[in-house]
Amino acid sequence: MNNKEITLAITGASGAPYALCLLEQLVKKQFTIHLLVSSAAKVVLATEVDEQWPSSPEKAQAFLQERFSAKPGQIVVPGKNDWFSPVASGSAAPKTMVVCPCSMGTLASIAMGLSDNLIERAADVVIKEKGKLIMVPREMPFSAIHLENMLKLAKLGVEILPANPGFYHKPETIQDLVEHVTARILDHIGIENDLVVRWGYSAK
């Protein structure tokens, strides 16, 4: 394990382009990514970006390595119940995890401390080990239940970063909006990026 390892979980909320953009940037920044993908997330990926990801972890890993021009072993795809994965153990898991996009079901399970699958267990590990957990919820509107769960997690030090793009950089495309949210996620991980023009600065 090193400080250039990270866990990225993709769940079944709308917002697949955010996950793809973030994954692409993490690969470019030479991170090793432990990628956790829910069954619902694969449905959303097929619906929103017309991508069919293999169901087998081994085939998915090979597919994503080629898709993102990653180095061998840079994208690690464990099965959803692979309890021998490093992310399931406090002594081996990366200290940083992002759930993007984060469904309200996943958020609720993590807030309750459930560990019924590897995504939930990985998040539980990061919380108990006092690492950095960033959750990117994508829902509208938020119910009182959603808000209470987010508040509970925020009090534990989890960063709640909703997928709310800004418009001060005058976006011209959907990708511009996606990159704005991705840039904010990278900022909170501590990864330098130039995806968007910063407030108060002019484009070069």
Side-chain angles (χ1 to χ4, degrees):
M1 185 175 63
N2 58 64
N3 60 5
K4 296 214 72 172
E5 286 195 56
I6 190 169
T7 304
L8 171 60
I10 306 175
T11 70
S14 179
Y18 296 120
L20 295 181
C21 188
L22 180 57
L23 181 54
E24 179 180 35
Q25 289 299 312
L26 291 172
V27 170
K28 287 182 178 179
K29 298 294 183 178
Q30 303 299 313
F31 273 75
T32 296
I33 305 109
H34 296 263
L35 183 63
L36 313 179
V37 185
S38 72
S39 298
K42 292 177 182 177
V43 175
V44 175
L45 283 160
T47 302
E48 295 186 345
V49 295
D50 297 320
E51 288 199 14
Q52 300 284 346
W53 288 14
S55 57
S56 161
E58 295 79 11
K59 291 181 179 179
Q61 191 164 301
F63 168 80
L64 292 168
Q65 180 179 311
E66 181 177 357
R67 163 74 170 79
F68 290 95
S69 300
K71 296 177 181 178
Q74 191 178 1
I75 301 176
V76 181
V77 184
K80 65 179 181 180
N81 293 314
D82 181 4
W83 303 113
F84 288 98
S85 169
V87 303
S89 171
S91 64
K95 299 302 182 184
T96 301
M97 178 177 178
V98 182
V99 185
C100 175
C102 182
S103 68
M104 292 301 99
T106 298
L107 190 143
S109 295
I110 293 172
M112 293 300 294
L114 304 182
S115 294
D116 288 340
N117 57 51
L118 196 57
I119 291 176
E120 295 168 10
R121 172 57 183 168
D124 187 57
V125 166
V126 174
I127 292 172
K128 80 181 184 71
E129 296 295 327
K130 301 188 183 301
K132 179 182 286 290
L133 176 58
I134 299 174
M135 305 184 75
V136 186
R138 217 307 307 168
E139 187 61 271
M140 186 188 297
F142 291 129
S143 73
I145 296 172
H146 302 154
L147 294 169
E148 287 173 356
N149 286 334
M150 283 187 264
L151 179 59
K152 182 177 181 179
L153 288 166
K155 287 180 176 179
L156 293 172
V158 176
E159 295 189 42
I160 307 298
L161 201 161
N164 297 334
F167 291 85
Y168 55 81
H169 61 301
K170 298 181 180 179
E172 297 180 353
T173 66
I174 292 175
Q175 186 62 24
D176 290 340
L177 297 173
V178 170
E179 290 180 357
H180 184 274
V181 171
T182 304
R184 297 298 291 137
I185 297 170
L186 293 172
D187 287 346
H188 281 256
I189 297 173
I191 301 175
E192 292 186 7
N193 68 90
D194 57 0
L195 287 176
V196 296
V197 177
R198 304 292 176 171
W199 175 262
Y201 292 85
S202 301
K204 295 181 179 179

